[in-house]
Amino acid sequence: MGHVENSMSDFLRQCGGVAVIDGGLATELERHGANLHDPLWSAKCLLTSPHLIRTQVHIDYLEAGADIIITASYQATLQGFKNKGYSIEESENLLTKSVEIALEARKMYYSKCVEAVSDQNTEDRILNQRPILVAASVGSYGAYLADGSEYSGDYGDAMDLEFLKNFHRRRVKILADAGPDIIAFETVPNKLEAQAFVQLIEEEEINIPAWLSFNSKDGVNVVSGDSLPDCVAVAESSNKIVAVGINCTPPRFIRDLILSIKKVTNKPILIYPNSGESYDPVLKEWVQNTGVSDKDFVSCVNEWCADGASLVGGCCRTTPDTIRAIYKTLKDRFETSSL
């Protein structure tokens, strides 16, 4: 992708200024019949049903208009695979596989585009061989714990920077070496882990770009209570972090969070909220009837972009229908602005 610090700006120019990120992964896998009641969560499908990840998630999102697809490695860690009885070699291969599946899906999608050229009724979103990025997902330490602590950032008083760096180090290197276009540090719940990620990519000489996305439950701070501007400042300190923003956060908080981020950084801002529903980490279930409809979710997209977001998608409980509606909204916006 060329110079790391310019890669995202170049990509966004090719996308017309705003790129579409895909939507929920684990909740889509469950919708297609996967049983994710396991500490590995979505990473379980790397073992049991990789075809679901490839064709029922990645390709579905590409056909819906996503410019970026995120790998099924959020919950995939060497430590987590070891706990399930897998060897180091097997565990490393599964991490690599998560990226390979996404790369294969992109290749398959491009092949479908070529085959569709002669079909006069095919929508331009399928015919257009737009640039597509594969983002290698890296979840927080709390995601590995599988106890909901990525939604609190409470890792205990004994937690320190070196522990977090060592926990993530080999995993990040394997994912980077597998050939993604960007690393997505997702659902980062506190400033300490953001610092660990930034220091890690500098120390390991990771030569592909990365983004940092935090989560919030009050629209002001990240979930640990750490100041969002302080967390964004960590991203601002590294040229290798090419975008910063928010994921897995209710849509109603997004506008205020974008405005807060803009005060600290000139980097592209990414936002991919959840559906607005609540997750019970004890029961490991989503609370029903607490979210917003796709129509209400998408109605905010133009406002978010006007406020400064450059990458827009969805997180848990959003679907290809959500992403298709986002794509159409942005497409209509571009066409209107060009008149």
Side-chain angles (χ1 to χ4, degrees):
M1 291 186 61
H3 297 295
V4 168
E5 61 270 26
N6 296 323
S7 57
M8 183 55 74
S9 296
D10 292 342
F11 172 68
L12 288 172
R13 276 195 293 272
Q14 294 178 70
C15 293
V18 180
V20 180
I21 305 172
D22 65 8
L25 187 142
T27 49
E28 269 301 283
L29 290 170
E30 288 179 320
R31 192 167 72 89
H32 287 285
N35 181 352
L36 303 186
H37 289 285
D38 189 283
L40 292 177
W41 200 37
S42 56
K44 178 183 176 183
C45 287
L46 294 170
L47 298 157
T48 61
S49 46
H51 62 285
L52 284 183
I53 302 171
R54 184 185 301 106
T55 59
Q56 298 298 327
V57 180
H58 290 329
I59 290 180
D60 279 0
Y61 279 125
L62 291 173
E63 293 185 344
D67 303 302
I68 302 174
I69 53 174
I70 303 176
T71 64
S73 51
Y74 175 82
Q75 200 99 351
T77 64
L78 297 175
Q79 298 87 342
F81 289 132
K82 180 182 178 182
N83 291 343
K84 297 291 288 186
Y86 292 92
S87 69
I88 290 294
E89 181 180 5
E90 290 170 328
S91 301
E92 292 181 350
N93 287 341
L94 286 167
L95 285 171
T96 299
K97 184 177 181 179
S98 69
V99 177
E100 291 175 344
I101 289 170
L103 294 172
E104 290 166 3
R106 178 172 65 183
K107 184 177 180 179
M108 291 171 64
Y109 173 76
Y110 279 148
S111 294
K112 291 179 71 172
C113 290
V114 172
E115 293 170 1
V117 166
S118 61
D119 184 352
Q120 296 298 315
N121 296 319
T122 303
E123 295 181 25
D124 61 273
R125 65 180 170 79
I126 293 186
L127 295 178
N128 179 19
Q129 292 198 42
R130 63 195 183 280
I132 293 167
L133 300 187
V134 168
S137 174
V138 177
S140 69
Y141 176 68
Y144 154 72
L145 295 177
D147 62 358
S149 56
E150 73 262 49
Y151 301 113
S152 71
D154 183 5
Y155 295 164
D157 295 336
M159 183 60 60
D160 63 27
L161 188 65
E162 290 304 314
F163 175 90
L164 288 172
K165 285 161 60 176
N166 289 331
F167 175 83
H168 291 294
R169 189 181 304 276
R170 181 62 181 155
R171 171 199 195 188
V172 170
K173 188 68 167 62
I174 291 167
L175 288 170
D177 287 347
D181 301 294
I182 191 167
I183 297 173
F185 295 116
E186 301 188 281
T187 326
V188 182
N190 54 43
K191 181 180 177 181
L192 184 68
E193 196 150 24
Q195 292 171 323
F197 286 138
V198 168
Q199 291 186 23
L200 197 55
I201 60 174
E202 298 290 345
E203 293 173 5
E204 290 297 321
E205 298 183 353
I206 303 296
N207 291 317
I208 61 172
W211 80 50
L212 270 175
S213 60
F214 301 92
N215 55 338
S216 174
K217 56 188 175 186
D218 63 4
V220 178
N221 301 307
V222 301
V223 292
S224 65
D226 290 343
S227 158
L228 176 60
D230 286 353
C231 290
V232 174
V234 174
E236 185 68 10
S237 69
S238 173
N239 288 334
K240 291 185 178 181
I241 302 296
V242 296
V244 61
I246 299 293
N247 77 292
C248 210
T249 295
R252 66 183 182 276
F253 294 140
I254 295 300
R255 185 169 191 266
D256 287 343
L257 294 168
I258 292 173
L259 297 177
S260 179
I261 291 169
K262 279 178 62 176
K263 294 176 182 178
V264 184
T265 184
N266 290 318
K267 294 180 189 289
I269 296 173
L270 59 95
I271 57 101
Y272 48 118
N274 58 36
S275 66
E277 294 167 89
S278 300
Y279 183 73
D280 187 322
V282 177
L283 297 177
K284 300 188 183 304
E285 294 178 353
W286 289 89
V287 178
Q288 300 296 319
N289 301 319
T290 60
V292 298
S293 67
D294 278 351
K295 181 179 179 181
D296 291 335
F297 184 104
V298 173
S299 69
C300 299
V301 168
N302 285 330
E303 180 182 76
W304 294 336
C305 291
D307 289 333
S310 299
L311 302 103
V312 182
C315 201
C316 297
R317 306 285 280 186
T318 61
T319 71
D321 287 341
T322 315
I323 301 309
R324 185 173 293 105
I326 291 173
Y327 166 84
K328 185 178 186 305
T329 295
L330 293 176
K331 177 172 175 286
D332 291 345
R333 179 172 177 258
F334 295 146
E335 290 177 347
T336 300
S337 64
S338 65
L339 295 177

